[in-house]
Amino acid sequence: MFKYISLIVITFLVSCSGIQMINRDTSHLYTKQFLAKFDVAKKSFVEGQKDVALQQLNNIQDAKLKPAELATKNNLIGVINYSNGNFEQAIFQFNLALNSSQEDGELSAQIRLNLASSYYKLDDLENTFKTLDGTDSRYLLNRDLENFHKLRYRVSKELDFQTVALDSLLWLNAGATTVEDLKNNKFYPQLVTQYFIVDQSQRVKIVQDFKEGKEFVCAYLSYLEVEQLINEGNKTKAQEVGSWMQSNFGMFPEILALVSTRFEMLKKYSKINMQSIGVVLPLTGDKSKFGKRALAGIDHAVRKYNERNSNKPNFQPIQIKIFDSMGSAIVGKEKVREMIERENSSIVIGGLLKDEARAEYEAARKYGAFFISLSQIYTNKDEKNHLLIEVPGSVESQVSLLFSEKYLSKYGNKVSIIYPNTESGYAYVDSAWKMAEKSGAEIVSIQSFDHNQTDHRSTVAKILGLYFTRERQEEYDLLKEVHKLEGNTTIRRVQTLGPIVDFDWVLLPAAPNDALQLIPSFNYYDAFNVTLVGGPNWRSRRISREASKLGKLLFVDSEVPKTDSAFVSSFQRRYDQRPGVVEILGFESMSLAANILSLGEFNSRDELESTVMNAQKVAGITGSWRLQDDVWMKEMSLMSLYRGRLNKVNFTTEKSIGE
């Protein structure tokens, strides 16, 4: 384990001797005779004569020493052993010292710091933390107190005690009286990072329970909390924290001014133009063909909406403000900022590419703007709120269907998960864990795969209990012998050791390319007729072309307009071609935007937000969304693909909806 010596400095002027001891009344604890002999030994040690110092200390007879004097002697012997790298002996000496140090609180604190440092040198993190936890840091001053919190922070991080690590960083940054002073502190970057690592409720409690000396740093962290809440779209909570700051940190006008400025900026951009809808798409670059297809769907929806309402009194047509993201998340984020600050767009549509979706949503959320994403946003559910609708259906919406009572009753409640090592894979696993716990389903096994590889047989082998065969060696040897006696009766590969299928179905949120590599591996290992379930991206030409070889597949998806629907017919008349999935997404996004704006008249984002929350439900051509736990959940369908035919599963029978 990598060590920083500077984190564990053991000072030679220990608390019970020298200058620090003289500054306090310790005459009843230490005799002049002892101090004189001890100073001689200490001087020898400081001059590098360690053996001489040890001899001089050993010449001081224990029987004639007061308890604090004995502790002081053993502490310095421990320090000498520590400096020689004899950490076990140092620990022994420090523990001896603690046996008689109780009368001197400052000495006891110093010994414990030395003892904890010795344990840390031996990578004994548990005893390091335990020793620090039992140290009364009020007796440590200046450099000793800093070293205590440095060590406490480091070992807490390694033991994943995040709140304790934050507490030590608060002390290490204490003393600042201006923002500039705080930012110049060498521990400031770690402070900010650690603050947002800790769970929000825990970090807010730590800051609100601030102690003397930490007021300024706690005030500044409270300001950062306000910033974070606004960026998350939680303006109500941000205002609550801001009010609390006004009551508790009035002595820091510099920080209160930062809070006021942030709320003023939010108010400045809260005004909206109801007729202006911002659209950011990749209209140039490698992905421009998809952006143009989505724009065609959006344009068709705008034209239909304006035509349908043109005869209404005082009707004002919707205008779309189009921005080019150039296929870049950074550019897309900046364009969202422009359309909100410059155009006062009431709703933002974007996120066609998954790499752009999250960045553009976060930019819109910062202003409290409603964002309609053309693709799924792969992030923790806690980072989403009622100002986001994912047109294809969020990961949470898909997984909710798979762990519903009707699904589990039909397909079973034991599930294995194979997922890619990507943000999307992590999002599916996180959501599946939460949904399984609520529904009572059992996740039997989880296995990740590298989406950059093309051979995923080992991944499937692990799920089927065929990768680590040592645990099944006896069974393997027996079956191998039987196989030899029977002889090779077929040219088809025979799996000597049978697969263990201890699950009812497999959640496989893989892209089509990966799915086509993973799915055949089940048959390769003689695991036939396994129920495999994917996501909306399995509605692809690549998988359809190979469907006859793959067996029956299931995937979660939205409703798709039929060929004879009014939407498909009108689109075909206007553009002389049938709409594809991308065009449908574009049309649906604008239809949702129009439906939301039709809920009333709005002058500000707050008014729009309040109305949307009260609506609880919005509908489109591919399904409807309901507001659940502050997140828009889409009603999804379970589809089956078998021999080129696509069917909608209704959990009793399957109705074919065409090829």
Side-chain angles (χ1 to χ4, degrees):
M1 188 180 298
F2 188 71
K3 303 289 187 206
Y4 291 100
I5 297 299
S6 61
L7 287 179
I8 324 168
V9 174
I10 296 182
T11 57
F12 302 147
L13 298 177
V14 292
S15 303
C16 58
S17 64
I19 297 172
Q20 292 187 33
M21 187 197 69
I22 293 173
N23 288 336
R24 56 198 176 96
D25 182 13
T26 56
S27 57
H28 63 294
L29 299 178
Y30 304 95
T31 65
K32 292 181 179 179
Q33 294 83 352
F34 169 77
L35 292 177
K37 292 178 181 179
F38 180 79
D39 284 342
V40 170
K42 185 184 68 178
K43 184 173 181 294
S44 298
F45 174 57
V46 172
E47 291 175 350
Q49 301 178 59
K50 300 178 183 179
D51 292 339
V52 173
L54 280 174
Q55 185 60 48
Q56 291 167 336
L57 288 169
N58 288 328
N59 288 338
I60 301 175
Q61 297 180 23
D62 293 353
K64 298 181 178 181
L65 297 180
K66 293 183 176 183
E69 293 174 338
L70 181 59
T72 300
K73 171 187 170 180
N74 284 323
N75 183 46
L76 185 53
I77 293 174
V79 170
I80 295 171
N81 278 284
Y82 180 94
S83 68
N84 286 331
N86 299 327
F87 304 119
E88 292 89 348
Q89 186 61 37
I91 289 170
F92 175 77
Q93 292 296 150
F94 293 139
N95 277 312
L96 275 182
L98 284 175
N99 288 336
S100 60
S101 66
Q102 293 86 349
E103 294 179 352
D104 191 335
E106 199 168 321
L107 171 62
S108 294
Q110 180 66 61
I111 294 170
R112 284 188 172 277
L113 177 57
N114 295 345
L115 177 60
S117 301
S118 302
Y119 280 130
Y120 190 70
K121 277 293 188 179
L122 294 176
D123 292 341
D124 188 345
L125 301 182
E126 287 76 13
N127 273 318
T128 303
F129 184 82
K130 182 180 178 181
T131 303
L132 291 172
D133 195 46
T135 302
D136 191 341
S137 60
R138 293 175 300 175
Y139 287 106
L140 297 173
L141 304 172
N142 304 325
R143 185 66 179 272
D144 289 339
L145 183 60
E146 181 178 319
N147 289 332
F148 170 83
H149 283 295
K150 284 179 181 177
L151 181 56
R152 185 169 177 255
Y153 162 68
R154 187 167 185 80
V155 73
S156 297
K157 287 292 290 180
E158 295 189 52
L159 290 173
D160 198 30
F161 297 157
Q162 304 295 354
T163 55
V164 179
L166 175 59
D167 183 69
S168 277
L169 284 171
L170 285 172
W171 283 110
L172 289 169
N173 284 273
T177 56
T178 67
V179 174
E180 183 179 5
D181 286 345
L182 181 59
K183 290 185 175 181
N184 286 334
N185 188 304
K186 59 185 175 182
F187 298 107
Y188 172 76
Q190 294 98 312
L191 171 68
V192 175
T193 300
Q194 186 63 30
Y195 180 73
F196 288 108
I197 286 175
V198 173
D199 178 75
Q200 187 180 59
S201 60
Q202 290 179 312
R203 68 182 185 237
V204 169
K205 186 178 187 306
I206 289 173
V207 167
Q208 292 184 348
D209 291 341
F210 63 87
K211 296 180 177 63
E212 185 178 353
K214 297 191 296 184
E215 294 95 333
F216 187 86
V217 64
C218 287
Y220 186 76
L221 289 176
S222 298
Y223 157 68
L224 294 183
E225 188 69 44
V226 169
E227 281 278 5
Q228 178 79 354
L229 288 167
I230 290 174
N231 291 342
E232 291 175 352
N234 196 341
K235 291 178 287 186
T236 302
K237 185 65 176 177
Q239 288 165 348
E240 290 176 4
V241 176
S243 297
W244 178 84
M245 291 181 66
Q246 292 284 349
S247 302
N248 290 272
F249 296 123
M251 71 288 281
F252 303 125
E254 180 186 15
I255 292 179
L256 294 183
L258 292 174
V259 176
S260 297
T261 300
R262 187 64 182 90
F263 280 119
E264 286 170 8
M265 188 185 81
L266 189 64
K267 185 177 180 181
K268 178 181 178 182
Y269 299 117
S270 66
K271 183 180 178 181
I272 61 173
N273 177 357
M274 279 192 63
Q275 279 63 51
S276 172
I277 296 179
V279 175
V280 56
L281 294 168
L283 300 175
T284 57
D286 295 342
K287 306 294 184 181
S288 60
K289 64 179 180 180
F290 299 107
K292 292 172 182 176
R293 287 176 57 190
L295 187 58
I298 291 171
D299 178 68
H300 185 52
V302 171
R303 290 171 182 266
K304 287 195 68 175
Y305 178 82
N306 289 339
E307 290 168 1
R308 187 170 64 249
N309 295 280
S310 59
N311 294 325
K312 291 183 179 180
N314 303 317
F315 171 72
Q316 292 182 302
I318 285 178
Q319 298 177 347
I320 54 174
K321 305 294 182 180
I322 303 169
F323 293 80
D324 181 10
S325 70
M326 297 187 281
S328 164
I330 296 174
V331 175
K333 193 172 183 176
E334 177 61 20
K335 296 304 180 184
V336 169
R337 184 190 67 80
E338 285 183 27
M339 68 177 68
I340 293 172
E341 292 187 1
R342 194 174 70 196
E343 304 292 342
N344 298 122
S345 295
S346 56
I347 293 176
V348 178
I349 296 174
L352 178 62
L353 306 178
K354 65 178 183 179
D355 295 335
E356 295 182 27
R358 182 171 177 176
E360 291 169 5
Y361 164 58
E362 288 174 349
R365 187 179 63 184
K366 183 177 180 180
Y367 294 89
F370 200 100
F371 187 77
I372 299 178
S373 180
L374 295 165
S375 66
Q376 295 156 342
I377 293 179
Y378 300 117
T379 186
N380 192 289
K381 182 184 176 183
D382 295 337
E383 296 183 22
K384 301 178 181 180
N385 66 10
H386 52 271
L387 293 176
L388 168 69
I389 286 184
E390 296 160 84
V391 177
S394 63
V395 169
E396 294 80 14
S397 301
Q398 298 169 40
V399 175
S400 178
L401 171 63
L402 297 179
F403 286 89
S404 64
E405 184 179 353
K406 62 182 180 180
Y407 178 90
L408 296 176
S409 297
K410 184 176 179 68
Y411 293 102
N413 64 355
K414 292 185 177 181
V415 56
S416 286
I417 304 174
I418 300 178
Y419 69 98
N421 280 324
T422 60
E423 284 188 341
S424 64
Y426 302 143
Y428 275 99
V429 170
D430 181 65
S431 185
W433 271 115
K434 293 175 181 176
M435 295 290 185
E437 187 176 351
K438 287 182 179 180
S439 65
E442 179 185 357
I443 296 181
V444 176
S445 57
I446 296 181
Q447 185 60 51
S448 64
F449 67 88
D450 184 351
H451 73 286
N452 293 315
Q453 295 182 351
T454 55
D455 187 349
H456 298 303
R457 283 177 295 179
S458 63
T459 302
V460 175
K462 291 172 184 177
I463 286 287
L464 297 173
L466 298 171
Y467 193 74
F468 302 105
T469 56
R470 183 180 300 175
E471 298 175 4
R472 302 177 65 192
Q473 191 65 46
E474 185 177 346
E475 179 187 357
Y476 176 79
D477 291 340
L478 178 61
L479 290 173
K480 186 176 180 181
E481 189 63 30
V482 171
H483 180 56
K484 282 182 180 179
L485 293 173
E486 290 179 348
N488 294 324
T489 58
T490 175
I491 59 172
R492 190 184 77 79
R493 175 189 171 281
V494 176
Q495 177 65 34
T496 300
L497 194 59
I500 298 176
V501 182
D502 55 355
F503 47 82
D504 296 315
W505 53 281
V506 178
L507 174 58
L508 187 57
N513 289 350
D514 293 322
L516 290 174
Q517 295 293 329
L518 284 157
I519 294 169
S521 297
F522 285 89
N523 286 351
Y524 178 84
Y525 287 116
D526 296 344
F528 304 108
N529 300 317
V530 172
T531 301
L532 303 173
V533 188
N537 54 6
W538 281 18
R539 189 192 286 269
S540 74
R541 290 190 178 94
R542 290 208 62 186
I543 289 184
S544 294
R545 285 197 298 265
E546 302 293 328
S548 60
K549 307 173 187 176
L550 301 176
K552 187 175 182 179
L553 302 177
L554 300 175
F555 64 93
V556 184
D557 200 5
S558 306
E559 295 279 359
V560 174
K562 298 179 180 178
T563 14
D564 59 350
S565 70
F567 160 68
V568 173
S569 301
S570 62
F571 188 94
Q572 196 162 5
R573 285 195 304 271
R574 177 164 282 149
Y575 297 102
D576 199 27
Q577 62 181 18
R578 289 179 59 184
V581 173
V582 178
E583 289 84 357
I584 293 171
L585 289 173
F587 183 89
E588 182 75 302
S589 67
M590 182 54 68
S591 298
L592 287 170
N595 290 344
I596 290 168
L597 292 178
S598 68
L599 294 173
E601 294 288 332
F602 314 106
N603 295 314
S604 69
R605 300 195 188 282
D606 288 343
E607 292 177 7
L608 174 60
E609 179 180 358
S610 176
T611 301
V612 167
M613 290 183 68
N614 290 331
Q616 292 291 310
K617 188 174 182 179
V618 292
I621 61 169
T622 66
S624 60
W625 288 257
R626 69 188 187 282
L627 192 59
Q628 179 179 317
D629 297 330
D630 203 40
V631 175
W632 287 103
M633 301 286 282
K634 188 177 185 179
E635 290 185 14
M636 307 296 292
S637 299
L638 184 66
M639 315 299 296
S640 71
L641 180 63
Y642 184 56
R643 294 182 177 176
R645 296 196 65 81
L646 188 62
N647 300 294
K648 178 181 176 181
V649 178
N650 64 11
F651 300 101
T652 53
T653 59
E654 293 181 14
K655 180 182 176 183
S656 174
I657 59 173
E659 297 185 8

